[in-house]
């Protein structure tokens, strides 16, 4: 039996047939136990007195054993009369038991056939949702991930299975859509610097350009190559973070924050931005390289999306890491989308040092890899407040 329906049919049918056989045996046992006494009680009064003479003369029933039923207390029988009654009782009881056994056997055979048919039908009814789930799973592909089972059934295990399957399809569809957007955005971001390089080479170097123009084109190509390297490095870091942590060790997050803010001090002076750092001891377990990228991306993102004379506040403490910056007003509805790759609060201007739009997505991925999470809120006066919560070392 290779199908679940056949196995369930054999199980249900076997149990029903076994129950029927046990019931037939019980009925036969109970009937046979009291049948002879009941027949003798009914037959004995009807036996004529004259029919007992031969039996008495032959001495067959000279000392008969009278039954212990109630009627013997009120009725007196001749010994030969009892012998005839007992013979009739035995013959009638045997015939009744044989008939009962025959009828019970035929009934059990019919009952068994009906039980197997009913078990087959019931197994099909029970397994019908499983068949629907299997058929839908075979039909699924990238083009119809939007379809759902939406099984209409009473609450139960199979209904829960179908709903779980629909939930899994929701997550798969969301993941596939995110991957498709990521691939399309990555291709677009990588194509842009290549187009700039090609235009600079074809247009700028045409018609015997002057040394000043050649120098400008060289600087342009170098800047574009640097942007491409930054984009590729961000993509590689994002992929590494998605794979999880390859090593874990005790990391002082407050020391990393102090080192990062010190390393970015030249950029803060260049942009005329004030950085305020408030750090308290915080030890987490994780990869120090990835955590350094997390803090660096947060602070650099706060500097990049700011305005001259603005401020950036970096706080590290038992609650985690928090970076608050001033800057343009951000629509609160777009804040959750900023954690997706290549998403920006403002349209891209292709300005030097603008970034590839991977900063917050890398932060969120690194945080998840460490068992934590990242969230952001829009400040009423402009800018963002980004919080990263990481599990602390015991």
């Amino acid at each position: 039996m290779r199908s679940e329906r056949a196995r369930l049919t054999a199980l249900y049918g076997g149990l029903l047939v076994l129950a029927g056989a046990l019931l037939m045996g019980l009925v036969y046992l109970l009937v046979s136990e009291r049948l002879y006494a009941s027949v003798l009680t009914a037959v004995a009064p009807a036996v004529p007195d004259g029919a007992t003479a031969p039996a008495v003369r032959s001495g067959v029933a000279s000392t008969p054993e009278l039954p212990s039923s109630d009627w013997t207390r009120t009725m007196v029988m001749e010994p030969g009369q009892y012998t005839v009654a007992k013979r009739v009782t035995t013959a009638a009881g045997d015939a009744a038991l044989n008939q009962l056994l025959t009828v019970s056997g035929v009934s059990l055979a019919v009952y068994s056939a009906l039980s197997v048919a009913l078990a087959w039908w019931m197994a099909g009814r029970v397994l019908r949702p499983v068949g629907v789930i299997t058929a839908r799973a075979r039909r699924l592909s990238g083009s119809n991930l939007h379809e759902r089972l939406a099984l209409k059934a009473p609450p139960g295990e199979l209904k829960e299975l179908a709903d779980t399957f629909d939930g899994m399809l929701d997550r798969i569809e969301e993941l596939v859509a995110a991957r498709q957007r990521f691939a399309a955005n990555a291709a677009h971001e990588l194509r842009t610097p290549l187009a700039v390089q090609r235009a600079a080479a074809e247009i700028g170097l045409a018609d015997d350009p002057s040394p000043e123009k050649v120098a400008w084109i060289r600087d342009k190509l170098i800047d574009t190559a640097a942007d491409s390297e930054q984009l590729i490095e961000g993509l590689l870091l994002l992929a590494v973070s998605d794979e999880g942590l390859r090593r874990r060790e005790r990391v002082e997050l407050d020391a990393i924050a102090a080192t990062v803010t010190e390393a970015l001090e030249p950029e803060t002076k260049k942009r005329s931005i004030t950085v305020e750092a408030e750090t308290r001891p915080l030890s987490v377990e994780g990869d120090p390289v990835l955590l350094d990228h997390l803090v660096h991306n947060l602070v650099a993102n706060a500097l990049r999306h700011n305005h001259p004379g603005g401020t950036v506040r970096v706080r590290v403490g038992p609650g985690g890491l928090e970076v608050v910056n001033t800057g343009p007003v951000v629509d609160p509805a777009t804040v959750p989308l900023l954690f997706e790759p290549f998403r920006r609060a403002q349209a891209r201007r292709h300005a030097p040092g603008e970034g590839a739009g991977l900063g917050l997505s890398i932060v969120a991925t690194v945080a998840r890899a460490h068992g934590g999470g990242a969230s952001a809120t829009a400040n009423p006066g402009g800018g963002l407040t980004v919080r990263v919560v990481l599990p602390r070392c015991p």
Side-chain angles (χ1 to χ4, degrees):
M1 291 182 288
R2 296 184 179 181
S3 67
E4 293 299 330
R5 186 175 187 181
R7 295 187 184 97
L8 288 177
T9 300
L11 177 62
Y12 296 157
L15 290 176
L16 290 174
V17 172
L18 178 61
L22 291 176
L23 180 62
M24 186 187 74
L26 180 62
V27 171
Y28 184 85
L29 180 63
L30 294 177
V31 169
S32 63
E33 183 179 358
R34 298 293 302 171
L35 177 64
Y36 291 98
S38 299
V39 173
L40 181 60
T41 302
V43 169
V47 177
D49 295 340
T52 63
V56 174
R57 286 194 300 268
S58 61
V60 174
S62 58
T63 55
E65 181 181 356
L66 295 176
S68 59
S69 54
D70 295 338
W71 65 271
T72 57
R73 299 190 182 97
T74 58
M75 180 178 294
V76 179
M77 292 184 64
E78 297 293 333
Q81 185 181 5
Y82 172 71
T83 301
V84 173
K86 191 170 184 179
R87 289 180 180 177
V88 173
T89 299
T90 301
D94 291 343
L97 289 178
N98 290 335
Q99 183 67 17
L100 175 64
L101 190 62
T102 302
V103 173
S104 299
V106 174
S107 301
L108 181 62
V110 175
Y111 173 79
S112 300
L114 292 177
S115 298
V116 172
L118 181 62
W120 177 263
W121 176 79
M122 183 59 66
R125 294 275 299 182
V126 171
L127 294 176
R128 183 177 301 172
V130 179
V132 173
I133 296 174
T134 302
R136 183 61 55 83
R138 287 174 178 170
R139 292 179 51 244
L140 281 178
S141 63
S143 59
N144 59 353
L145 279 177
H146 61 280
E147 296 183 8
R148 298 293 180 269
L149 293 177
L151 184 65
K152 298 184 182 302
E157 287 79 2
L158 293 178
K159 173 65 174 175
E160 183 178 357
L161 174 62
D163 293 342
T164 303
F165 189 81
D166 286 342
M168 180 189 68
L169 289 179
D170 290 336
R171 294 189 296 272
I172 292 177
E173 183 182 15
E174 182 178 353
L175 179 61
V176 170
R179 295 297 182 185
Q180 290 175 346
R181 290 196 304 268
F182 177 82
N185 291 331
H188 176 74
E189 295 288 340
L190 289 172
R191 184 177 61 183
T192 299
L194 293 177
V196 172
Q197 291 176 354
R198 181 174 181 177
E202 290 182 349
I203 300 174
L205 297 179
D207 301 329
D208 193 16
S210 62
E212 294 80 7
K213 192 173 184 179
V214 171
W216 178 84
I217 294 174
R218 181 192 63 187
D219 295 338
K220 185 66 174 179
L221 293 176
I222 292 175
D223 292 340
T224 305
D227 292 340
S228 299
E229 291 176 358
Q230 181 182 2
L231 173 60
I232 293 173
E233 182 181 358
L235 293 174
L236 291 175
L237 180 60
L238 199 60
V240 170
S241 301
D242 276 333
E243 293 177 358
L245 299 183
R246 297 181 179 178
R247 60 171 179 166
R248 289 180 179 270
E249 60 183 73
R250 188 182 184 92
V251 181
E252 304 298 333
L253 195 62
D254 55 311
I256 290 180
T259 303
V260 168
T261 53
E262 183 179 353
L264 292 174
E265 188 174 347
E267 186 173 353
T268 62
K269 293 180 179 180
K270 179 182 177 181
R271 296 176 179 269
S272 300
I273 296 175
T274 303
V275 177
E276 301 173 358
E278 179 185 341
T279 61
R280 286 189 289 172
L282 176 62
S283 300
V284 298
E285 186 179 13
D287 189 327
V289 176
L290 292 180
L291 290 175
D292 182 80
H293 279 290
L294 182 148
V295 178
H296 185 276
N297 279 9
L298 270 181
V299 179
N301 198 66
L303 292 173
R304 187 177 299 116
H305 301 283
N306 214 317
H307 53 73
T311 59
V312 174
R313 290 189 295 273
V314 181
R315 298 191 184 96
V316 179
L321 171 65
E322 181 181 85
V323 177
V324 183
N325 71 299
T326 56
V329 177
V330 181
D331 184 3
T334 64
V335 172
L337 302 178
L338 298 178
F339 289 98
E340 294 187 9
F342 308 108
R343 287 299 185 108
R344 300 175 177 86
Q346 283 83 29
R348 187 174 182 180
R349 301 183 302 272
H350 299 287
E354 182 185 8
L358 297 175
L360 290 182
S361 62
I362 292 176
V363 169
T365 305
V366 173
R368 285 196 302 269
H370 286 79
S375 61
T377 55
N379 300 327
L384 286 175
T385 298
V386 182
R387 299 178 182 87
V388 177
V389 180
L390 299 171
R392 302 175 60 184
C393 285

